[in-house]
Amino acid sequence: MKAKETAIVFIGFQNDFCKEKGALYEGVKDQIKAQNTIRNSQDRIQKARGKCLTLLVPILFEQNYCDAGCEGVLGPIHANVLQTKAFRKGTWGGAIIDELKPTPQDIVVDGKRTLDAFNSSNLDFLFRVDRIKNVAFCGFLTNVCVEGTARSAYDKGYKVFLLKDCCAAISAEEQKYVETKFFPYMGEVLTQDEFLKKLK
Amino acid sequence: MKAKETAIVFIGFQNDFCKEKGALYEGVKDQIKAQNTIRNSQDRIQKARGKCLTLLVPILFEQNYCDAGCEGVLGPIHANVLQTKAFRKGTWGGAIIDELKPTPQDIVVDGKRTLDAFNSSNLDFLFRVDRIKNVAFCGFLTNVCVEGTARSAYDKGYKVFLLKDCCAAISAEEQKYVETKFFPYMGEVLTQDEFLKKLK
Amino acid sequence: MKAKETAIVFIGFQNDFCKEKGALYEGVKDQIKAQNTIRNSQDRIQKARGKCLTLLVPILFEQNYCDAGCEGVLGPIHANVLQTKAFRKGTWGGAIIDELKPTPQDIVVDGKRTLDAFNSSNLDFLFRVDRIKNVAFCGFLTNVCVEGTARSAYDKGYKVFLLKDCCAAISAEEQKYVETKFFPYMGEVLTQDEFLKKLK
Amino acid sequence: MKAKETAIVFIGFQNDFCKEKGALYEGVKDQIKAQNTIRNSQDRIQKARGKCLTLLVPILFEQNYCDAGCEGVLGPIHANVLQTKAFRKGTWGGAIIDELKPTPQDIVVDGKRTLDAFNSSNLDFLFRVDRIKNVAFCGFLTNVCVEGTARSAYDKGYKVFLLKDCCAAISAEEQKYVETKFFPYMGEVLTQDEFLKKLK
């Protein structure tokens, strides 16, 4: 697998998910610790920069959530974001964590507002014009936005990989479901080390 | 919820999934029986015709699968379709089952080749021009194409509903996962009777 | 330019556009004759089959146009289609003309209802999974659906080509505008012979 | 036409197009003056704020154009952007002009890299979740990005309007072509005053 035809997408590595006092940290903190998600992902992006295309995809809304729709259009998962005041532009909670702070070698993709990062961003355009064929996924939550973006990538004809030690769900059960039941329908589930060995 | 702003999407009700000797029947037959999927779905479409927009979305390929990509582009789930010779145009296996045979009140949507039915069809266009706001999902497999199409609908701003007794996965575990873990992030999980009562 | 990475898209080669008594023939017949569109396109598809990916993309609606939206959603160009009863499934007018009758080497793409053929079909999926990089366009009308589909292809990262003697607009002025003013922003304008020479 | 179901999209109001020393100003300056584009658009956005959804859509690339694709993927119009060093993030040329400087009532849409602003942004998502039905277009160039975005909006089922005194092409001929030949296929061509009178 050629590194230059390969992208790694880091979804939702923001303080609101990853850090004490983050708006949604409580729900995912046990799995982050169990999986060592942050350390593994930091390791992954550092080794990948300059070889693969590395992209950071935060989910971000305006301060007043005017870009999340008129009342009641979106469902429970968005209602929770609004209620907890998570993922707002210009706030500490919305910012990408220091461990994965973007460098000039990364692309930060704007526009994500929903589960599938392709849905409202230029992610697909970036892949197309760089002739990307393989895409690996890291981030939060494994069975929500990570799986959703990987599904969309698969349907668009990309080879998809889940870096299982670089993501987290809100329970071990959900993490295991994605790793063993769903993702194998579409592609491969690997540790970041296993993935690294496939690249050349 | 206004019936005229509501669509019901029936995914994959084809002989290859639903009938003895169908190419993929073995995998899903126990859940079809346990859920009484066919009978419930037939009941649902009959009561919905002329009130809601009813759409049948088969997955179909050319006889030689020339429209499934050059070798190795798509992953394991498509490899299985090709190996079992499932879902080919003009075959008995690819045909929609008699119980849900389309009438002039239904729209049959062509183009589905992947998990998300929106990805390669005019499903979204049909919803837009008919001012659809609510979409309910039935069919196969609950956690693959049904969930995948519902995810895409949610991300596009539609209210989404899973008619839990009108779908089937390959195991009770996967069915239960979608019903209790994933789908509630996005929308409501209902029996077809419960859904019927919400319409006016 | 590698033939196997190249697709040729034939848009709207249906009796309603191309033949006496076709619903919309009057508007375009002079330009069809002036350009010798039918003969050139027939020549092109015959020489391309088996080398390039050849696709026929008709625009087709249900007999009652239920798939064209509730009243007034779409604009003047669709109003004209409905008024003239053009492009209905199962009618002579909607059928692809004999000169370009599909063979098993061609793919017929369903779903086109609007100007851009990518918008409501699986055209992009077919290109992706066949690793297509170059797309040439033929058909009707040069400045409406042909230009519209080529614009979309360009934005998706394909190299685009207009086969100028294989298309027609409703006036020489509009044809010339596309050839000399707009299309050169995006790609190359060639005769089908010139295009043939670029392939290998 | 209800104002709250109506959006106005301002495309490319950046120094590189609109101001002396802007990278692409030379090409469009005569038409900007002839049409009084800047003054009319400023007037339009000021009157529309708080009534309609007002969106500013710049086209912007990374400083090194790493998000414009590997060499030669995109065509002549992008080659020109790269050659003139236009539309780079963080530069004066890429900034929105003072006359249309965004206020908290406007949404600034990120992601546009190609002709159709829907292609690589969350524009469609924003319209969907705000239940927008009508979209009016202003900006640069009338027959390239403005027409291209309006085509895409039409195909998605929105009512489309061209505010003819709020846009500019590089020649009067091209401006007139869009106003009189192409746009009437899809929707209405109005002055901003005429458009204002339709809103309620």
Side-chain angles (χ1 to χ4, degrees):
Chain A
M1 198 164 68
K2 294 178 188 169
K4 69 168 191 166
E5 293 177 351
T6 302
I8 310 181
V9 179
F10 297 86
I11 297 173
F13 283 89
Q14 295 160 267
N15 291 314
D16 275 333
F17 262 144
C18 304
K19 297 288 176 179
E20 286 275 352
K21 300 191 183 165
L24 300 171
Y25 180 64
E26 272 304 301
V28 75
K29 73 177 181 184
D30 291 347
Q31 284 298 302
I32 287 177
K33 287 172 189 168
Q35 303 253 109
N36 203 10
T37 308
I38 308 301
R39 185 68 196 84
N40 286 331
S41 299
Q42 184 178 22
D43 190 39
R44 183 82 301 266
I45 200 168
Q46 286 173 349
K47 288 180 182 157
R49 280 179 179 131
K51 299 192 191 75
C52 303
L53 187 66
T54 49
L55 305 105
L56 289 147
V57 189
I59 183 167
L60 280 171
F61 298 91
E62 300 293 333
Q63 292 276 342
N64 62 359
Y65 294 105
C66 66
D67 50 349
C70 47
E71 203 177 337
V73 170
L74 295 170
I77 196 167
H78 279 82
N80 191 43
V81 167
L82 270 67
Q83 197 182 343
T84 58
K85 299 197 176 302
F87 304 133
R88 286 172 299 150
K89 288 184 186 175
T91 65
W92 170 84
I96 291 172
I97 59 174
D98 288 343
E99 290 88 337
L100 276 82
K101 192 173 176 178
T103 74
Q105 292 183 295
D106 307 316
I107 293 180
V108 180
V109 176
D110 294 314
K112 184 175 186 294
R113 301 285 185 277
T114 61
L115 309 193
D116 167 17
F118 287 94
N119 181 52
S120 57
S121 78
N122 63 359
L123 190 55
D124 189 36
F125 174 76
L126 295 172
F127 288 172
R128 284 167 178 266
V129 293
D130 268 324
R131 304 291 192 211
I132 295 299
K133 292 184 180 174
N134 318 297
V135 190
F137 294 92
C138 308
F140 308 92
L141 300 174
T142 313
N143 61 328
V144 185
C145 295
V146 175
E147 180 187 322
T149 308
R151 280 173 174 266
S152 190
Y154 177 80
D155 277 11
K156 290 175 170 65
Y158 300 104
K159 292 275 175 202
V160 293
F161 301 86
L162 180 69
L163 303 194
K164 65 183 174 182
D165 51 355
C166 298
C167 54
I170 62 171
S171 70
E173 179 193 350
E174 287 162 78
Q175 178 71 27
K176 193 182 165 199
Y177 165 82
V178 178
E179 289 184 18
T180 63
K181 294 290 179 183
F182 180 71
F183 212 94
Y185 280 127
M186 304 196 303
E188 288 182 65
V189 178
L190 302 163
T191 63
Q192 57 122 332
D193 276 340
E194 290 165 347
F195 182 72
L196 185 62
K197 286 175 191 151
K198 294 177 83 83
L199 290 176
K200 54 191 173 194
Chain B
M1 197 164 69
K2 294 179 187 169
K4 70 167 192 166
E5 293 178 352
T6 302
I8 310 181
V9 180
F10 297 86
I11 297 174
F13 284 89
Q14 295 161 268
N15 290 314
D16 274 334
F17 262 144
C18 305
K19 297 289 177 180
E20 286 275 350
K21 300 191 182 162
L24 300 172
Y25 180 65
E26 272 305 300
V28 76
K29 72 178 180 183
D30 292 346
Q31 283 298 301
I32 287 178
K33 286 172 189 168
Q35 304 253 108
N36 203 9
T37 309
I38 308 300
R39 185 67 196 84
N40 286 331
S41 299
Q42 185 179 21
D43 190 39
R44 183 83 299 268
I45 201 169
Q46 286 173 351
K47 287 179 182 158
R49 280 181 179 130
K51 297 191 193 76
C52 302
L53 188 65
T54 49
L55 305 106
L56 290 146
V57 188
I59 182 166
L60 280 171
F61 297 92
E62 300 294 333
Q63 292 277 340
N64 62 359
Y65 295 104
C66 65
D67 50 348
C70 48
E71 203 176 337
V73 171
L74 294 171
I77 196 167
H78 279 83
N80 191 44
V81 168
L82 270 67
Q83 197 182 341
T84 59
K85 298 196 176 304
F87 305 133
R88 285 172 300 149
K89 287 184 186 177
T91 64
W92 169 84
I96 291 171
I97 59 174
D98 288 343
E99 290 89 337
L100 276 82
K101 193 174 175 178
T103 73
Q105 291 182 295
D106 307 318
I107 293 180
V108 179
V109 175
D110 294 315
K112 185 177 187 292
R113 301 285 184 278
T114 61
L115 309 193
D116 167 16
F118 286 94
N119 180 51
S120 58
S121 78
N122 63 359
L123 190 55
D124 189 37
F125 174 76
L126 295 172
F127 288 173
R128 284 166 177 267
V129 293
D130 267 325
R131 304 291 193 210
I132 295 299
K133 292 184 180 172
N134 317 298
V135 189
F137 293 93
C138 308
F140 309 91
L141 300 174
T142 313
N143 60 328
V144 185
C145 295
V146 175
E147 180 187 321
T149 307
R151 279 173 174 267
S152 190
Y154 177 78
D155 276 11
K156 290 175 169 65
Y158 300 105
K159 291 274 175 203
V160 294
F161 301 87
L162 180 69
L163 304 194
K164 65 181 173 184
D165 52 354
C166 298
C167 54
I170 62 170
S171 70
E173 180 193 350
E174 286 163 78
Q175 178 71 26
K176 193 181 164 200
Y177 165 82
V178 178
E179 290 183 17
T180 64
K181 293 288 180 185
F182 180 71
F183 212 93
Y185 280 127
M186 303 195 304
E188 288 182 64
V189 179
L190 301 163
T191 64
Q192 57 123 333
D193 275 341
E194 291 164 347
F195 182 72
L196 185 62
K197 287 175 190 152
K198 294 176 82 84
L199 290 176
K200 54 191 175 192
Chain C
M1 198 164 68
K2 294 179 188 169
K4 70 167 190 166
E5 293 178 350
T6 303
I8 310 181
V9 180
F10 297 85
I11 297 173
F13 283 89
Q14 295 161 268
N15 291 313
D16 274 335
F17 261 144
C18 305
K19 297 289 175 178
E20 286 275 352
K21 300 190 182 166
L24 300 172
Y25 180 64
E26 273 305 300
V28 75
K29 73 177 180 184
D30 290 348
Q31 283 299 301
I32 287 177
K33 287 173 190 167
Q35 303 252 108
N36 202 10
T37 309
I38 308 300
R39 185 68 196 85
N40 287 331
S41 299
Q42 184 179 22
D43 190 38
R44 184 82 300 267
I45 200 168
Q46 286 173 350
K47 287 179 182 157
R49 280 181 179 130
K51 298 191 193 74
C52 303
L53 188 65
T54 50
L55 305 104
L56 290 146
V57 189
I59 181 167
L60 280 171
F61 298 93
E62 300 293 333
Q63 292 277 340
N64 62 359
Y65 294 104
C66 65
D67 49 349
C70 48
E71 203 177 337
V73 171
L74 295 171
I77 196 167
H78 279 83
N80 191 43
V81 167
L82 270 67
Q83 197 182 342
T84 58
K85 298 196 175 304
F87 304 133
R88 285 173 299 150
K89 287 184 186 175
T91 65
W92 169 84
I96 291 171
I97 59 174
D98 288 343
E99 290 89 336
L100 275 83
K101 193 173 175 178
T103 74
Q105 292 182 295
D106 307 318
I107 293 180
V108 179
V109 176
D110 294 314
K112 185 177 187 291
R113 302 284 184 279
T114 61
L115 309 193
D116 167 16
F118 287 94
N119 180 51
S120 58
S121 78
N122 63 0
L123 190 54
D124 189 37
F125 174 76
L126 295 171
F127 288 172
R128 284 167 177 266
V129 293
D130 267 326
R131 305 290 192 210
I132 294 299
K133 292 185 180 172
N134 317 297
V135 190
F137 293 93
C138 309
F140 309 92
L141 299 173
T142 313
N143 60 329
V144 184
C145 295
V146 175
E147 180 188 322
T149 308
R151 279 172 174 266
S152 190
Y154 177 80
D155 276 11
K156 290 174 171 64
Y158 300 105
K159 292 273 174 203
V160 294
F161 301 87
L162 179 69
L163 303 194
K164 65 182 174 183
D165 52 355
C166 298
C167 54
I170 63 171
S171 70
E173 180 194 350
E174 286 163 77
Q175 178 71 27
K176 193 182 165 198
Y177 165 82
V178 178
E179 290 183 16
T180 63
K181 294 288 181 185
F182 181 72
F183 212 93
Y185 280 127
M186 303 195 304
E188 288 182 65
V189 179
L190 302 163
T191 63
Q192 57 124 330
D193 275 340
E194 292 164 347
F195 181 72
L196 185 62
K197 286 174 192 151
K198 294 177 82 83
L199 291 176
K200 54 190 172 193
Chain D
M1 198 162 70
K2 295 178 188 168
K4 70 167 190 166
E5 294 177 351
T6 302
I8 310 181
V9 180
F10 297 85
I11 297 173
F13 283 89
Q14 296 160 267
N15 290 313
D16 274 334
F17 262 144
C18 304
K19 297 289 176 180
E20 285 276 351
K21 301 191 181 163
L24 300 172
Y25 180 64
E26 272 305 300
V28 75
K29 71 177 181 183
D30 291 347
Q31 284 298 302
I32 286 177
K33 287 172 188 167
Q35 303 253 110
N36 202 10
T37 308
I38 308 301
R39 185 68 197 85
N40 286 331
S41 299
Q42 185 178 22
D43 190 40
R44 183 81 302 267
I45 201 168
Q46 287 173 350
K47 288 178 182 160
R49 280 181 180 131
K51 299 191 191 75
C52 303
L53 188 66
T54 49
L55 305 105
L56 290 146
V57 189
I59 182 167
L60 280 170
F61 298 92
E62 299 293 334
Q63 292 277 341
N64 62 359
Y65 294 104
C66 65
D67 50 348
C70 48
E71 203 177 337
V73 171
L74 295 170
I77 196 167
H78 280 83
N80 190 44
V81 168
L82 269 67
Q83 197 182 342
T84 59
K85 300 198 176 301
F87 304 133
R88 285 172 299 149
K89 288 184 185 175
T91 65
W92 169 84
I96 292 172
I97 58 175
D98 288 343
E99 291 89 337
L100 276 82
K101 192 173 176 178
T103 75
Q105 291 183 294
D106 307 318
I107 293 180
V108 179
V109 176
D110 295 314
K112 185 177 187 292
R113 300 285 184 279
T114 61
L115 310 193
D116 168 17
F118 287 94
N119 181 51
S120 58
S121 78
N122 64 359
L123 190 55
D124 189 36
F125 174 77
L126 296 172
F127 287 173
R128 284 167 178 264
V129 294
D130 267 325
R131 304 290 192 210
I132 294 299
K133 292 185 180 172
N134 318 296
V135 190
F137 294 92
C138 308
F140 308 93
L141 300 173
T142 313
N143 60 329
V144 185
C145 295
V146 176
E147 180 187 322
T149 308
R151 281 173 173 265
S152 190
Y154 177 80
D155 277 10
K156 289 174 170 63
Y158 300 104
K159 292 275 176 203
V160 294
F161 301 87
L162 180 69
L163 303 194
K164 66 182 174 185
D165 52 355
C166 298
C167 55
I170 63 171
S171 70
E173 180 194 350
E174 286 162 78
Q175 178 71 25
K176 193 182 165 199
Y177 164 83
V178 178
E179 289 184 17
T180 63
K181 293 290 180 185
F182 179 73
F183 211 93
Y185 280 127
M186 303 196 304
E188 288 182 66
V189 178
L190 301 163
T191 63
Q192 57 122 330
D193 276 341
E194 291 164 348
F195 182 72
L196 185 62
K197 286 175 190 152
K198 294 177 82 83
L199 290 175
K200 56 190 174 194

